[in-house]
Amino acid sequence: MNRKLKESFFKDVYEVVKLVPHGRVTSYGAIANYLGAKSSARMVGWAMNSSHNIPDVPAHRVVNRNGMLTGKHHFDTPTKMEELLTVEGVKVSDDKIINFKEVFWDPSLELI
DNA sequence: ACACTGACCACTG
DNA sequence: CCAGTGGCCAGTG
């Protein structure tokens, strides 16, 4: 993959994540689906893994399709993701979101 | 160049 | 319903 294409893909992922409303969450697959065939859920996860330096990217609002906080270990502290979600009104228990379907935000449906 | 891994997902039996 | 499997694409040893 060319560096420019890679940067473009990263940028797209970050843009979508930034658009996730406060108190709502989305999934890797939803982002991949929204960005199109050139992306895949794994690539979205990989992009998020490289989002350490990127400011204003609420990575805690991105979970897997079951609402599980699979990425929590990649935060500063393992509890950070859970705390951030809880503060925003998202119910988290045992590393998964309770009211997932209520707070789920699909970019391909919510964006034009 | 090869094999394995990964913040994933959908299909199959 | 659960486990296994394949696809996805890039990074790493």
Side-chain angles (χ1 to χ4, degrees):
Chain A
M1 181 185 260
N2 294 334
R3 191 161 50 88
K4 284 191 177 268
L5 182 59
K6 167 179 167 181
E7 287 179 2
S8 173
F9 173 71
F10 275 44
K11 189 173 184 296
D12 288 343
V13 173
Y14 300 148
E15 284 298 312
V16 176
V17 175
K18 283 189 210 173
L19 290 174
V20 178
H22 182 276
R24 308 290 293 282
V25 299
T26 190
S27 72
Y28 304 95
I31 295 173
N33 182 53
Y34 173 71
L35 293 180
K38 62 179 178 182
S39 65
S40 68
R42 279 190 186 272
M43 289 303 93
V44 175
W46 171 67
M48 296 312 296
N49 193 21
S50 299
S51 71
H52 289 289
N53 314 322
I54 315 296
D56 302 327
V57 177
H60 63 278
R61 295 191 188 135
V62 184
V63 296
N64 74 357
R65 78 158 212 95
N66 298 312
M68 275 169 64
L69 279 53
T70 50
K72 64 180 295 184
H73 298 297
H74 292 267
F75 284 76
D76 294 341
T77 68
T79 57
K80 192 73 175 178
M81 186 174 190
E82 195 173 321
E83 288 176 14
L84 289 169
L85 288 172
T86 302
V87 166
E88 296 188 359
V90 180
K91 310 266 187 271
V92 177
S93 175
D94 196 27
D95 292 350
K96 66 175 188 286
I97 298 174
I98 303 300
N99 54 342
F100 181 56
K101 62 179 183 180
E102 296 178 26
V103 297
F104 180 67
W105 182 85
D106 189 345
S108 64
L109 297 179
E110 308 287 344
L111 297 178
I112 307 302

